[in-house]
Amino acid sequence: MDRLGGLTAFVRTADLGSFVAAGRVLGLSASAVGKAVTNLERELGVRLFQRSTRSLRLTEEGRLFHERCRRVLDDLNDAEASLASAVAVPRGKLRVSVPIVTYHLLMPVLPEFVERYPEVELDLDFNDRIVDLIDEEVDVAIRSGNLPDSRLMSRTLRPFQLLLCAAPSYLERHGTPECPRELDGHLAIGFRFPNSRKLQDWPITMPPEGSEPRLRTALTCNNMEALRHIVIAGLGIGCMPDFLARQPVADGRLRTILDEHLNAPGQFHLLWPSSRHLSPKVRVLVDFLSEKLFAERCEMLTAAANGGPPVYGAKTTN
């Protein structure tokens, strides 16, 4: 403890340039700070400061030692803060921004989170706009695609796949394509990304000699939930994430087509602003969603490895 006190006195003196200023911050007299630094120098056998009646300057050895000591004290402060956060009760409002379509993933698991952490108030913003977490004071966000913002921390969640789907009634009227070339003349329900305004590409793998199929666009929208309803109504073929298509495929309202010709993996990420100390409410949500949604990811990969349904891709910039 004497050595830790000496290190603290030395770092604060080097930061502030005087024993008086360091003592004011540490709640000690200037003489006590000076004595602690002198004892440290004696123990190390090295002079850390050049002293005069008017100035106090670090020696070359002192500058090197100061850099290392700052890191040591910062790590110690981080350890203390982490311990305090670990035992603190998560509480307060937690602002979360997520794509509209992810409610299919979140709604089954969030009741458990609310029950487990009753003092955390979730403020969910289902919006396809990409928010600036720092400027808009958002605590946590879910995104897919590229993660260019270096100010954010991230954790990988579940992968997803895009499926080409159509209603049985549509396929009965227009036929079921068995290869990409047979899409010629079919009706497409297009999706336009709300932010970039770009049209979504269907992740179809074409043979080298093949030409792009010529479809007729029946309708375009910028909401994936609306696209699903339109496709279920039998107006055309649509491209949607696996978790959005899962239930209507299971109950027969939709069928998937060209499964073996789709390839382009997609991924969801959990994001939060970078900080030396993660607040308890953010920490528990990050851990909870990572556990719940990463577990689903593992189940999907295991099913694929055991000969289950193929894993389709999703190309997205949203």
Side-chain angles (χ1 to χ4, degrees), residues 45-202:
V46 174
R47 183 173 291 276
L48 300 173
F49 288 106
Q50 292 288 359
R51 299 167 174 83
S52 71
T53 56
R54 294 187 177 182
S55 67
L56 189 67
R57 293 184 297 106
L58 283 169
T59 63
E60 182 61 29
E61 295 81 4
R63 278 192 290 272
L64 294 174
F65 193 57
H66 178 244
E67 293 175 7
R68 299 295 296 271
C69 288
R70 282 295 302 273
R71 288 197 291 270
V72 169
L73 292 180
D74 284 344
D75 287 344
L76 179 60
N77 289 335
D78 278 353
E80 292 175 346
S82 297
L83 182 60
S85 295
V87 299
V89 175
R91 59 167 55 89
K93 180 176 289 189
L94 190 59
R95 297 190 62 201
V96 185
S97 174
V98 295
I100 294 173
V101 73
T102 56
Y103 85 84
H104 289 269
L105 300 175
L106 295 175
M107 289 304 100
V109 301
L110 284 184
E112 181 181 344
F113 178 86
V114 172
E115 183 176 357
R116 189 182 300 181
Y117 304 105
E119 296 189 49
V120 176
E121 176 189 349
L122 288 177
D123 184 354
L124 301 177
D125 178 21
F126 287 94
N127 196 316
D128 288 329
R129 179 178 64 88
I130 295 181
V131 302
D132 187 310
L133 274 70
I134 295 175
D135 290 347
E136 300 184 41
E137 299 182 346
V138 172
D139 296 302
V140 180
I142 293 178
R143 288 184 187 166
S144 61
N146 297 326
L147 305 176
D149 196 335
S150 61
R151 300 174 300 169
L152 303 178
M153 302 296 291
S154 67
R155 190 174 292 183
T156 300
L157 297 178
R158 78 187 297 281
F160 60 92
Q161 309 100 37
L162 287 185
L163 305 176
L164 288 182
C165 300
S169 59
Y170 173 87
L171 296 175
E172 289 170 6
R173 295 195 309 271
H174 299 275
T176 301
E178 300 295 338
C179 66
R181 189 176 296 108
E182 293 183 6
L183 284 172
D184 283 351
H186 274 276
L187 298 175
I189 308 301
F191 177 75
R192 188 182 301 277
F193 292 107
N195 300 297
S196 66
R197 305 296 299 163
K198 293 181 179 179
L199 287 173
Q200 176 193 52
D201 293 323
W202 287 4

Side-chain angles (χ1 to χ4, degrees), residues 215-285:
L215 293 95
R216 293 184 293 137
T217 300
L219 187 149
T220 301
C221 63
N222 66 355
N223 181 284
M224 192 59 72
E225 187 74 33
L227 182 144
R228 184 179 73 155
H229 284 288
I230 293 166
V231 175
I232 290 174
L235 299 186
I237 299 172
C239 189
M240 66 189 73
D242 57 343
F243 55 86
L244 192 62
R246 178 185 300 158
Q247 188 57 48
V249 168
D251 61 27
R253 289 178 295 158
L254 287 179
R255 294 179 188 167
T256 64
I257 62 172
L258 302 179
D259 293 344
E260 65 275 18
H261 297 280
L262 303 181
N263 181 36
Q267 184 73 61
F268 279 120
H269 302 275
L270 196 62
L271 306 177
W272 63 96
S274 177
S275 172
R276 293 188 69 88
H277 309 304
L278 194 62
S279 70
K281 63 181 180 180
V282 172
R283 174 176 51 80
V284 294
L285 182 65

